[in-house]
Amino acid sequence: MLVSAKEMLNKAKAGKYAVGQFNINNLEWTKAVLQTAEEMKSPVILGVSAGAGKYMTGFKTVAAMVSAMVEDLGITVPVALHLDHGKYEECYQCINAGFSSIMFDGSKYSIEENVAKTKELVKICEEKGLSLEAEVGAIGGEEDGIVGAGECADPEECKQIADLGVTMLAAGIGNIHGKYPSNWKGLSFETLDAVQKLTGDMPLVLHGGTGIPEDMIKKAISLGVAKINVNTECQLTFTAATRKYIEEGKDLEGKGFDPRKLLAPGTEAIRQTVREKMQLFGSVNKA
Ligand code: 13P
């Protein structure tokens, strides 16, 4: 059964560790993350972007696949299925499709509109028992080949959104999706500290988990981060392992046309990445 992320994140916040959100793209990816979470006895959040949802034919298919897989694989650790960076309409689509958690990314709106829309979603999520992530301050990232710097959120605005009763809050602290540019200034711990002081027990979310140095990850957790999102790193390790397999001509061995064998090295690479992240985030044996 899928669960809301509320309990796992409140426990993580109190225990000073973070739960990993690993984004999924297909069946193999999902299976790899779920089996690794079970192996590590770690709670886990499966992230689904709108693009990945569309690729997998729609949010309903994703919810049905993940729910059935949790059951068929006999997964006993807590699993939340979470919409990543949802637009307002997508939040409703995922609520109706059977997701157990959603993120409303209202960072593009004015703070007034972000507050109004988040408030409405807080009410619906409470009624339905879903967890809700809100965002203040845009997370940077690559768009059309240009890497935008991550914004630093205004701590007062973070408090305004946190007070609406969201489950978790993503505050921009200079973090960026994808690879970090060589001149990246690092995370703004000053902003994180200020946000944490004003939002108290609110579990904070760190996006752009790929490529942040380990000491910064640990410091962020010590300052209140209870959820860390990882996407690009799984994509990189999956692609590298698949490419190596093909370059070595292994795909042509034996029958030479077995898609399950072709996807196996990439899937194992994802498992290894997830293991390492769960160890770094401290969520092992916390299920
Ligand atoms: P990365 O792709 O940088 O790992 O970030 C993932 C993320 O924050 C998804 O919301």
Side-chain angles (χ1 to χ4, degrees):
M1 203 185 78
L2 300 174
V3 297
S4 136
K6 189 175 180 137
E7 197 183 322
M8 61 173 98
L9 291 182
N10 286 343
K11 274 192 191 165
K13 178 91 183 181
K16 290 218 176 284
Y17 60 92
V19 177
Q21 173 188 309
F22 300 94
N23 284 34
I24 55 169
N25 286 282
N26 59 23
L27 181 143
E28 285 76 11
W29 218 289
T30 311
K31 186 175 161 189
V33 177
L34 286 177
Q35 287 182 323
T36 310
E38 187 67 21
E39 173 195 324
M40 306 303 275
K41 295 279 162 263
S42 167
V44 74
I45 298 169
L46 302 183
V48 179
S49 66
K54 201 170 163 191
Y55 172 78
M56 290 184 270
T57 75
F59 294 130
K60 275 194 203 154
T61 303
V62 176
M65 176 180 77
V66 174
S67 300
M69 215 186 266
V70 166
E71 199 182 318
D72 280 346
L73 292 173
I75 303 294
T76 59
V77 298
V79 177
L81 177 61
H82 182 73
L83 168 66
D84 191 26
H85 289 284
K87 294 199 180 107
Y88 182 67
E89 303 75 27
E90 291 160 355
C91 290
Y92 284 94
Q93 287 163 12
C94 286
I95 292 168
N96 293 330
F99 277 50
S100 62
S101 187
I102 55 173
M103 172 184 187
F104 169 56
D105 182 351
S107 63
K108 286 172 242 41
Y109 295 110
S110 66
I111 185 67
E112 292 77 21
E113 197 162 355
N114 193 354
V115 166
K117 289 191 157 65
T118 303
K119 201 169 177 178
E120 200 183 297
L121 286 162
V122 164
K123 189 164 173 282
I124 297 187
C125 286
E126 261 172 18
E127 279 165 18
K128 303 214 176 246
L130 272 72
S131 41
L132 174 66
E133 176 178 344
E135 177 170 332
V136 178
I139 315 292
E142 191 178 319
E143 226 171 329
D144 297 330
I146 297 159
V147 180
E151 278 179 18
C152 281
D154 175 347
E156 291 291 344
E157 289 185 1
C158 290
K159 180 175 164 41
Q160 228 181 313
I161 296 277
D163 285 350
L164 299 176
V166 299
T167 320
M168 52 195 138
L169 181 73
I173 55 167
N175 40 335
I176 297 174
H177 290 124
K179 288 186 179 175
Y180 285 84
S182 53
N183 63 352
W184 181 52
K185 292 191 188 74
L187 297 176
S188 168
F189 292 112
E190 203 183 310
T191 307
L192 182 56
D193 200 31
V195 171
Q196 158 72 86
K197 284 201 173 104
L198 286 183
T199 57
D201 292 338
M202 173 66 51
L204 302 176
V205 183
L206 183 64
H207 281 247
T210 300
I212 299 178
E214 288 194 14
D215 58 334
M216 285 196 200
I217 294 272
K218 286 189 178 150
K219 187 159 181 192
I221 295 173
S222 76
L223 289 173
V225 163
K227 170 174 174 278
I228 303 180
N229 295 5
V230 178
N231 180 28
T232 306
E233 195 154 337
C234 289
Q235 297 188 342
L236 289 169
T237 51
F238 176 83
T239 313
T242 311
R243 187 177 295 128
K244 183 165 176 279
Y245 185 74
I246 293 172
E247 279 171 1
E248 288 173 354
K250 297 225 173 93
D251 56 319
L252 301 174
E253 286 170 10
K255 282 192 206 158
F257 50 78
D258 187 340
R260 296 179 213 156
K261 287 201 176 127
L262 178 65
L263 292 173
T267 306
E268 184 46 45
I270 292 173
R271 293 185 62 142
Q272 189 51 29
T273 302
V274 173
R275 270 184 210 113
E276 286 165 12
K277 294 295 165 195
M278 286 177 166
Q279 271 152 359
L280 174 63
F281 301 165
S283 69
V284 177
N285 288 326
K286 296 293 189 335

